[in-house]
Amino acid sequence: MCGLRNVPIVLLHALPLSSVMWQAQAASLRAHGHTVITPDQRGFGGNPLGTAAPSLHTVADDLAALLDERGVHSVALAGCSMGGYVAMAFLRRYRHRVRALALLGTRAAADTPETVAKRIGFADLMLDDSRRDHLVARTTPLLLGTTTRDRHPGLVERVTAMAAAAAPEAVAWAQRAIAARPDSWSVLRDTDVPAVVVAGAEDELVAMDEAASMAEALPRGRLVTVPAAGHLQPLEAPEYVTELLIALLDAAAADRQHLSVESSADVEDGGNRC
């Protein structure tokens, strides 16, 4: 259809990484002609943290402001781990701007009181100069699957270095924001767009049944399991994830074309104008 363009895609990064984690997908998607936006959350990738209280709603508003600055109204959202929480926060406030959704290694449920306490404790330790390095070295490899840890030590080192380079204040802020997030099941049930929930077969942080429930909650959701991958599928299986995102964008473009055809059919002006 004339005047139709591909839906831009926003790639939202995991904690405690930055948009660099999406480098492979961004390059490939752009090579396929897609518009790709890879924002760094406040406090990450050189962005200032600011003085706002920890809240994913603030991060969602940051993204909306960025899209407004670029003149982009509607997008596909892909979020990994914390990026998935940001995507759901964005849906809560700006659902009308989302044309497709990919949630990777994330969950819709709010944290239990026990998990909230652990997150707050983690945030406090990140601000402790005497304990931070040990905490990062101990916990970061768990973001990757056992196969990755065994066969790709270079990736483990790379991810650990990225985590160590993150500003401690930003990591603590993000952990507190995540701990305070609400349940998002109703948000997913109301998100009637092409959607995929991606789960790593070796993810030690998000259970497979949680991912399956999210896919079931989404009206047009489907579950995809990435073999031999843990929590950070875009880094552990870059080509696999890229193919999933291309398929999602194809579905979003088909949706847009279908809506355009329906709109054109409603206009009886005797012409085929764009």
Side-chain angles (χ1 to χ4, degrees):
M1 295 287 298
C2 53
L4 291 180
R5 297 182 299 169
N6 288 329
V7 178
I9 185 167
V10 176
L11 305 178
L12 300 167
H13 65 84
L15 179 68
L17 309 182
S18 71
S19 61
V20 172
M21 69 166 287
W22 290 104
Q23 192 171 44
Q25 288 76 30
S28 183
L29 289 168
R30 287 175 180 136
H32 281 80
H34 294 287
T35 298
V36 183
I37 302 170
T38 55
D40 286 305
Q41 184 171 304
R42 56 172 53 214
F44 295 86
N47 281 345
L49 179 59
T51 59
S55 171
L56 292 180
H57 290 155
T58 298
V59 182
D61 291 343
D62 288 344
L63 176 56
L66 174 64
L67 297 180
D68 290 343
E69 289 174 8
R70 299 192 181 190
V72 175
H73 179 264
S74 59
V75 295
L77 286 183
C80 180
S81 190
M82 175 180 70
Y85 300 143
V86 174
M88 287 180 273
F90 189 86
L91 281 166
R92 190 180 300 276
R93 296 165 85 86
Y94 305 101
R95 188 178 308 145
H96 61 287
R97 302 184 71 164
V98 179
R99 296 291 173 264
L101 178 67
L103 298 173
L104 302 91
T106 193
R107 53 168 58 93
D111 283 346
T112 64
E114 179 184 10
T115 302
V116 168
K118 288 181 179 179
R119 288 196 191 277
I120 300 303
F122 190 102
D124 292 341
L125 289 174
M126 281 299 298
L127 300 177
D128 185 336
D129 292 342
S130 67
R131 305 178 71 177
R132 179 171 55 249
D133 290 347
H134 174 71
L135 177 68
V136 171
R138 177 175 59 84
T139 59
T140 303
L142 300 178
L143 298 174
L144 303 167
T146 55
T147 299
T148 300
R149 297 199 296 266
D150 291 343
R151 299 182 184 177
H152 304 287
L155 181 56
V156 178
E157 293 174 2
R158 179 187 168 203
V159 171
T160 302
M162 292 170 66
E169 295 80 7
V171 176
W173 190 98
Q175 283 283 19
R176 293 189 174 104
I178 293 169
R181 76 190 190 282
D183 179 292
S184 292
W185 289 110
S186 63
V187 173
L188 296 188
R189 286 191 287 269
D190 290 341
T191 302
D192 189 8
V193 298
V196 60
V197 176
V198 182
E202 299 176 2
D203 191 339
E204 298 176 21
L205 302 180
V206 178
M208 190 63 65
D209 60 349
E210 291 183 88
S213 295
M214 291 172 64
E216 185 176 350
L218 287 157
R220 286 191 275 170
R222 66 186 183 103
L223 175 66
V224 174
T225 303
V226 183
H231 195 61
L232 300 178
Q233 305 97 21
L235 287 168
E236 297 179 77
E239 295 86 1
Y240 195 109
V241 170
T242 297
E243 291 176 2
L244 290 175
L245 295 179
I246 290 174
L248 181 69
L249 289 170
D250 287 345
D255 249 22
R256 175 177 283 190
Q257 181 169 347
H258 177 71
L259 289 173
S260 178
V261 169
E262 286 189 340
S263 296
S264 296
D266 289 339
V267 179
E268 297 181 359
D269 63 353
N272 294 310
R273 296 176 296 166
C274 294

